[in-house]
Amino acid sequence: MIILDTGATRALADGHKTLNLLAGNMARTPGDLLRVPALCLMQAESEDAGAGGRVLAFSSVVVDDLDTAGSVTVGTMVRDGYGGADTCHALYCALPRPEFTGMSILLTDREDAYPPGVVTVDIDSPGMLGYS
């Protein structure tokens, strides 16, 4: 599962070349989706009017809703100092879940915002799409 945090969501909305290429490639592969945590989408929209609509225009982007149990868990993470609500929702999405197999990858522009053990990839790293 590939997750975009607030910074990656804003970058996609702003036309980040590599993220746009990734979203386009994923649109051509059935079942491959970019997940944007709802609170990251909310934060991106609050910082840049229209960002949400521009991101949701990609057919490969889906929103990861925050359900009741998730709300409690994210609230606990915020209280325990893991970051703001959007960062904690991205972190929550990256945790193992029964409905997703394999490892989650969190695309971000600030890898240091996440604790060790979370697989993060800087959206501006040269090898993000496997190219050096």
Side-chain angles (χ1 to χ4, degrees):
M1 175 167 58
I2 298 177
I3 304 158
L4 280 69
D5 76 353
T6 301
T9 300
R10 290 238 6 233
L12 179 61
D14 291 342
H16 188 278
K17 184 178 179 180
T18 308
L19 288 175
N20 275 261
L21 181 61
L22 177 63
N25 287 342
M26 291 186 88
R28 291 189 293 273
T29 308
D32 281 348
L33 299 169
L34 294 171
R35 295 194 166 273
V36 177
L39 295 180
C40 293
L41 185 64
M42 179 271 312
Q43 186 64 36
E45 180 64 29
S46 73
E47 295 171 0
D48 177 14
R54 292 191 306 273
V55 167
L56 294 176
F58 288 96
S59 62
S60 58
V61 172
V62 296
V63 176
D64 197 284
D65 296 329
L66 191 60
D67 62 12
T68 305
S71 297
V72 172
T73 303
V74 170
T76 301
M77 293 169 134
V78 172
R79 185 190 66 229
D80 290 347
Y82 286 95
D86 60 326
T87 300
C88 289
H89 192 191
L91 182 57
Y92 172 75
C93 289
L95 295 174
R97 297 188 196 188
E99 64 267 27
F100 299 110
T101 58
M103 185 177 294
S104 295
I105 298 170
L106 183 56
L107 300 181
T108 182
D109 62 347
R110 52 194 175 101
E111 289 182 288
D112 60 337
Y114 299 96
V118 177
V119 178
T120 58
V121 175
D122 188 309
I123 60 172
D124 293 317
S125 66
M128 192 178 103
L129 289 178
Y131 307 112
S132 296

